[in-house]
């Protein structure tokens, strides 16, 4: 697995973030993208050892484009110099939640999981309701020594517990959240050995699986809004 060509390409793209360079280096992109999909395939096989639902997808269907939507951004750079993928039983959609990988130079890479998207109010309510009703199970997952050593739950949150929930609930702080996700940062130096990265990612994702499973039970029945 050639992770170095991925990082080399993304580094050059970050230094030459314009359409001229991008189109002049399509072959460079093709080789880097092929290396990323090869790594994803190996990673999916490892994840499949403890979460077989991910094996029904092809790597190319789980990746995100480099092209940025700059319409509402002050940064008009046309490309995001990062290779990203979301691996779950439902593919790359944010629900069901799964395992997220982003490779980006400058020590900006990370492994993640959980519910990143907080624009779906129904999904947020479903998770809040599940935490309110199954708080002990939630707390048990978060208190597992292996989990606590690796992860801290992140997410956009309200200042106060929303209406309809007990302000003194044992998990009141988590009821304020609108999204619940995990991030494990990776430094560029950790990406030099593809086999080591594969083993590390698979181990981290195995540890976060109970967290993902809990959220997916909460989100059972959720349907992504239809695009208009």
């Amino acid at each position: 697995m050639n992770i170095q060509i991925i990082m080399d390409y993304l580094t050059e793209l970050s230094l030459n973030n314009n359409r001229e360079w991008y189109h002049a280096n399509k072959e460079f992109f093709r080789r880097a993208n092929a290396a990323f999909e090869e790594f994803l395939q190996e990673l999916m096989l490892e994840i499949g050892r403890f979460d077989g639902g991910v094996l029904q997808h092809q790597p190319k269907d789980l990746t995100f484009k480099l092209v940025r939507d700059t319409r509402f951004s002050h940064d008009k750079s046309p490309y995001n110099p990062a290779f990203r993928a979301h691996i779950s039983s439902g593919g790359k959609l944010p629900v069901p939640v799964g395992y997220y990988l982003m490779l980006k130079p400058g020590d900006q890479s990370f492994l993640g999981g959980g519910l990143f998207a907080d624009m779906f109010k129904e999904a947020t309510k479903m998770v809040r309701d599940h935490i309110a009703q199954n708080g002990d199970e939630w707390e048990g997952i978060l208190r597992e020594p292996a989990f606590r050593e690796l992860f801290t739950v992140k997410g956009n949150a309200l200042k106060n517990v929303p209406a309809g929930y007990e302000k003194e609930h044992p998990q009141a702080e988590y009821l304020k959240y609108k999204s619940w996700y995990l991030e494990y940062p990776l430094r560029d130096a950790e990406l030099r050995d593809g086999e080591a990265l594969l083993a590390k990612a698979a181990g981290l994702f195995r540890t976060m699986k109970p967290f993902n499973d809990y959220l997916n039970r909460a989100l059972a029945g959720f349907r992504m809004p239809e695009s208009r």
Side-chain angles (χ1 to χ4, degrees):
M1 290 175 289
N2 188 356
I3 302 297
Q4 191 58 51
I5 192 173
I6 297 172
M7 301 304 288
D8 287 346
Y9 174 80
L10 294 174
T11 298
E12 289 299 315
L13 179 60
S14 66
L15 295 173
N16 303 277
N17 200 327
N18 58 75
R19 292 177 177 82
E20 292 75 20
W21 187 91
Y22 177 80
H23 288 291
N25 289 272
K26 281 294 186 70
E27 178 59 22
F28 195 178
F29 167 76
R30 189 195 66 76
R31 291 187 290 120
N33 189 63
F36 185 58
E37 290 185 3
E38 178 187 359
F39 179 79
L40 281 183
Q41 183 64 65
E42 293 299 319
L43 180 57
M44 290 167 66
L45 291 175
E46 290 300 314
I47 294 173
R49 296 176 184 271
F50 55 86
D51 190 346
V54 306
L55 297 175
Q56 59 187 311
H57 300 288
Q58 297 298 316
K60 64 182 179 64
D61 298 324
L62 305 176
T63 61
F64 297 89
K65 294 180 180 179
L66 299 180
V67 178
R68 297 178 62 248
D69 182 351
T70 62
R71 290 174 298 172
F72 308 106
S73 174
H74 292 296
D75 180 3
K76 298 302 180 182
S77 303
Y79 306 105
N80 179 10
F83 279 145
R84 301 169 294 147
H86 182 249
I87 306 168
S88 82
S89 60
K92 69 179 182 180
L93 294 174
V95 180
V97 305
Y99 313 95
Y100 188 81
L101 166 67
M102 183 172 85
L103 299 183
K104 188 171 185 176
D107 296 330
Q108 298 180 76
S109 304
F110 72 91
L111 304 168
L115 182 66
F116 288 85
D118 60 6
M119 73 285 289
F120 307 121
K121 293 182 179 180
E122 181 187 354
T124 293
K125 185 177 187 308
M126 292 171 79
V127 174
R128 281 181 181 149
D129 288 349
H130 198 71
I131 293 175
Q133 297 164 15
N134 302 275
D136 289 345
E137 182 185 358
W138 173 257
E139 203 66 38
I141 292 170
L142 272 52
R143 285 183 175 177
E144 274 293 318
F147 185 94
R148 291 180 63 183
E149 183 179 345
L150 296 169
F151 303 118
T152 299
V153 179
K154 298 184 176 183
N156 294 327
L158 303 172
K159 291 184 178 180
N160 301 305
V161 176
Y165 301 92
E166 297 177 30
K167 289 182 172 56
E168 304 303 322
H169 192 284
Q171 282 73 49
E173 283 303 309
Y174 293 109
L175 296 178
K176 296 177 184 177
Y177 281 40
K178 297 186 288 183
S179 53
W180 300 259
Y181 60 83
L182 311 173
E183 289 184 357
Y184 184 91
L186 296 170
R187 302 185 67 81
D188 291 354
E190 298 178 78
L191 309 179
R192 293 170 184 163
D193 184 334
E195 293 294 338
L197 176 62
L198 178 65
K200 182 165 195 168
L204 285 162
F205 288 153
R206 183 189 289 270
T207 301
M208 77 168 58
K209 183 177 185 294
F211 177 83
N212 280 352
D213 289 346
Y214 182 95
L215 292 177
N216 281 330
R217 285 192 294 274
L219 294 164
F222 175 79
R223 295 289 179 268
M224 291 291 296
E226 295 184 9
S227 57
R228 295 180 179 179

